[in-house]
Amino acid sequence: MTITNEIIEKHGLTNNEFIEIKKLLKREPNLLELAVFSAMWNEHCSYKSSRIHLKELPTKNKNVIQGPGENAGVIDIGEDDAIVFKIESHNHPSFIEPYQGAATGVGGILRDVFTMGARPIALLNSIHFGSPKNKSTRNLLHGVVSGIGGYGNCIGIPTVAGETKFNNTYNENILVNAMAVGHVKKNKIFYSKAKGLNKSVVYVGSKTGRDGIHGASMASAEFDENSVEKKPTVQVGDPFTEKLLMEACLELMKDNSIISIQDMGAAGLTSSSVEMASKGNLGIELILDYVPCREENMTPYEMMLSESQERMLIILEDGKEENARKIFSKWDLDFVVIGKTTDTNNLTLKFKKEVVGEIPIEALANKAPMYDRKWVKKKFPSKNIHIKDLKKVKMDKALIEILSSPNESNKSWITDQYDQMVMTDTIQRSGSDAAIIRIHGKEKAIAVTVDSSANYSKSHPLTGGTQIVCETWRNLISAGSKPIAITNCLNFGNPENPEIMGEFAESIQGIKKACEFLDFPVVSGNVSFYNGTNKKNIFPTPVIGGIGLVSKLKNVKNHLLKKEGNQLFVIGKTFGHLHQSVFYKEIYSITEGPPPEINLINEKNNGEFVAKIIEKGLVTSVHDVSVGGILLGICEMSINSEFGLKINKPKKLSNIFEYFFGEDQGRYLIEVEEKNISKVNKILKENNIYSELLGIVQKDFIELNGEFKLNIKDLYKINNQWYHNY
């Protein structure tokens, strides 16, 4: 077959890339070889537009066992325990087919974790939809939530935390980011690097079908009016088979049979075989006649590009095949030796006794394009928005409007669909700053959270990148943990647009800045480009998943007020930054202006202070101040408890709305019993930490003298009504 320009374009390659392929092969590729290149050279697999920037991120500290480059990152949490975690996007598939797109996103991220030898212990998600008024939002929302719940619930992994947001920018390109966390013993971590010659390459799991062909390529291109036609590129998941696969793999991992193991995720058999061989500086030969297929007459092209789910590729030690076969047979899964490792450094594909493809591994992996794309730096927006009629707004009315908005309303209608308690180690579930998962059988736990802030990032990407790392840091500290490391999912528009590429490059610099200062490295992650439709790109949306260690279970904290008569303090200075705030957006429909500035010194000092008083047992509840400011934070602490707050009007108050709705960073709300006030004040003074007394905890009401007195039960109803009215 002659390779035409149309065929090249259909495979997501440029003419220049095709020329480079011919140079590497020293000939023209056949259609199968072209497809293999398209799978490995697309944006989703090769990170060709992002690699040059990702290299800037800090990826190491004393707790990091494995950073980026493997199926997932691994951190040391003491004794013989390690945590494996990663977040990935499944944006395009979820827009085209919301249930299966979201479900297979969960399945894929779980495989990334148990491929490393870890038993998954928690799932999280960050999901972003268009305006609730958009005609497609309702169906997309229900489909995605059902897909996440359906897969996680069936496989028996608790979905413990996440976020759901609505914004016009996602009307034609929703975001579905799934995160998984697993626990492993440090001496039982498995990697994907192939070793040894003539070792058996084994296909295990479910059979290969025609679903998901060109899935990775589809995820590396913008949508247009014909996007619905891409439905066949979406994979179909089976959580029950995934459960069997997980248990079979974990059972096999108990002995010394496995040399390397790799999930067949994006680009399926192609990427898994190439990645294993590349890391081991070996070749790999596959006999495609042996690939288990669930559909008749599948071609080598289809087998190599299929992204059918619940499959793994394993390289075994000599003589271990029969024992491994027995294990997978017991779990009713396919187990077939489909090839071997070689010294050729080539990917060799055979079918019907003929070589149908022969490509140097290096050409597919290390020689994949890496672009230093042009980008434009975004200026910090000026503060030029002044609202003259602020005093005409009633604070209680503004608060009620915010609490009843889609973004700030209670999301229990979502989380109630997820099993959060399965496996019995969930100590604290969704709704607090971070979920808490006990390490089974131990008196320690991990805190997990996932966060994003597209509004801050679209205003100034560098500040937005810094801010979202800091918010993750604060959430972990507020839960009583020591922040250890993060994973990121970086969702952006078309990187060929210099402005979009600028958003990405500056976001990376912002993330880097915060991670370095806080000693909070990036150990895994994912980049999702081309999020947009008909040249309309989404807001830059970096999503951060964070892990913290709770060394003592007594340190676990939530955000609920505990006792009448306790005092509530705000830690950190309040300057009253309203630009990009919920208040401006919901009350005035203003979305311009700069994000709040970040002072990393204050961020670190305030966080370490809060961690110190938690360790000393001097606080009863903690909550970080973020979106919505102090007043929304107070409401969140009150609404699901029986306690409110009698608020003091601050002495240095220039503008009541700026003070209570301003989104200045680096702040916490802490509840302190009267008996501990002097001790807390002493540590505040010793550490030069700024604080203000907000008020006294009381029953039933949130009250600000001269402004409002609101019943908590009423606020609860208001906060829970949006979805029921939707």
Side-chain angles (χ1 to χ4, degrees), residues 315-328:
I315 296 176
L316 289 175
E317 293 282 6
D318 294 338
K320 299 291 186 177
E321 291 88 353
E322 282 312 304
N323 180 57
R325 191 188 306 274
K326 286 178 184 176
I327 291 172
F328 282 88

Side-chain angles (χ1 to χ4, degrees), residues 506-529:
E506 290 201 273
S507 290
I508 291 288
Q509 288 303 309
I511 293 169
K512 174 188 177 183
K513 184 179 176 183
C515 288
E516 286 180 341
F517 197 90
L518 300 173
D519 191 23
F520 201 27
V522 182
V523 299
S524 60
N526 172 239
V527 176
S528 177
F529 278 134

Side-chain angles (χ1 to χ4, degrees), residues 26-61:
K26 298 177 181 177
R27 57 178 173 81
E28 187 164 292
N30 61 35
L31 185 62
L32 172 61
E33 292 168 331
L34 184 77
V36 170
F37 271 104
S38 83
M40 294 304 300
W41 281 21
N42 64 58
E43 197 73 61
H44 191 81
C45 293
S46 74
Y47 292 82
K48 57 189 177 185
S49 297
S50 58
R51 289 205 316 271
I52 195 168
H53 297 281
L54 294 174
K55 291 177 180 180
E56 296 287 312
L57 292 173
T59 59
K60 298 177 180 178
N61 72 4

Side-chain angles (χ1 to χ4, degrees), residues 170-194:
Y170 310 111
N171 278 346
E172 305 301 330
N173 198 122
I174 64 173
L175 302 183
V176 177
N177 293 181
M179 177 176 169
V181 183
H183 171 238
V184 67
K185 298 299 182 182
K186 285 190 285 192
N187 65 344
K188 281 293 182 180
I189 301 169
F190 289 82
Y191 299 95
S192 58
K193 181 180 178 179

Side-chain angles (χ1 to χ4, degrees), residues 558-623:
N558 63 32
H559 68 300
L560 300 179
L561 295 174
K562 301 298 189 299
K563 183 181 174 184
E564 190 174 8
N566 286 354
Q567 297 187 20
L568 192 70
F569 292 83
V570 59
I571 304 301
K573 281 190 179 181
T574 298
F575 299 97
H577 187 98
L578 287 178
H579 293 93
Q580 298 301 330
S581 68
V582 170
F583 177 76
Y584 265 11
K585 183 176 184 295
E586 297 297 339
I587 307 305
Y588 292 97
S589 299
I590 293 173
T591 57
E592 294 81 33
E597 295 186 38
I598 311 294
N599 185 318
L600 287 171
I601 295 173
N602 289 342
E603 193 73 62
K604 188 174 185 179
N605 289 345
N606 293 348
E608 289 177 346
F609 162 77
V610 172
K612 186 178 292 184
I613 59 175
I614 290 174
E615 175 69 29
K616 292 180 179 293
L618 299 177
V619 289
T620 56
S621 65
V622 182
H623 192 25

Side-chain angles (χ1 to χ4, degrees), residues 559-561 568 621-623 633-639 641 669:
H559 68 300
L560 300 179
L561 295 174
L568 192 70
S621 65
V622 182
H623 192 25
I634 291 171
C635 288
E636 290 166 347
M637 298 179 83
S638 299
I639 282 175
S641 73
L669 299 174

Side-chain angles (χ1 to χ4, degrees), residues 6-161:
E6 184 181 358
I7 291 172
I8 295 167
E9 186 179 352
K10 185 180 177 182
H11 284 78
L13 295 164
T14 67
N15 284 325
N16 285 337
E17 287 170 346
F18 182 65
I19 291 168
E20 186 62 26
I21 288 169
K22 289 194 290 184
K23 285 181 182 176
L24 290 166
L25 290 178
K26 298 177 181 177
R27 57 178 173 81
E28 187 164 292
N30 61 35
L31 185 62
L32 172 61
E33 292 168 331
L34 184 77
V36 170
F37 271 104
S38 83
M40 294 304 300
W41 281 21
N42 64 58
E43 197 73 61
H44 191 81
C45 293
S46 74
Y47 292 82
K48 57 189 177 185
S49 297
S50 58
R51 289 205 316 271
I52 195 168
H53 297 281
L54 294 174
K55 291 177 180 180
E56 296 287 312
L57 292 173
T59 59
K60 298 177 180 178
N61 72 4
K62 64 180 182 181
N63 298 110
V64 176
I65 296 173
Q66 174 65 53
E70 267 293 340
N71 287 294
V74 189
I75 56 173
D76 189 341
I77 60 166
E79 300 173 298
D80 59 349
D81 299 307
I83 294 295
V84 178
F85 67 108
K86 189 183 182 183
I87 190 169
E88 277 205 342
S89 63
H90 230 225
N91 303 335
H92 287 54
S94 299
F95 181 77
I96 295 168
E97 213 301 299
Y99 185 96
Q100 289 295 350
T104 53
V106 173
I109 199 65
L110 283 171
R111 289 194 301 279
D112 281 339
V113 166
F114 70 76
T115 300
M116 301 287 295
R119 178 169 290 281
I121 58 175
L123 287 163
L124 303 87
N125 56 75
S126 174
I127 51 180
H128 299 245
F129 300 93
S131 166
K133 296 177 182 178
N134 185 274
K135 62 182 181 180
S136 63
T137 295
R138 189 193 302 269
N139 287 335
L140 289 168
L141 175 64
H142 283 283
V144 166
V145 171
S146 298
I148 291 170
Y151 206 100
N153 294 353
C154 289
I155 199 172
I157 310 297
T159 301
V160 297

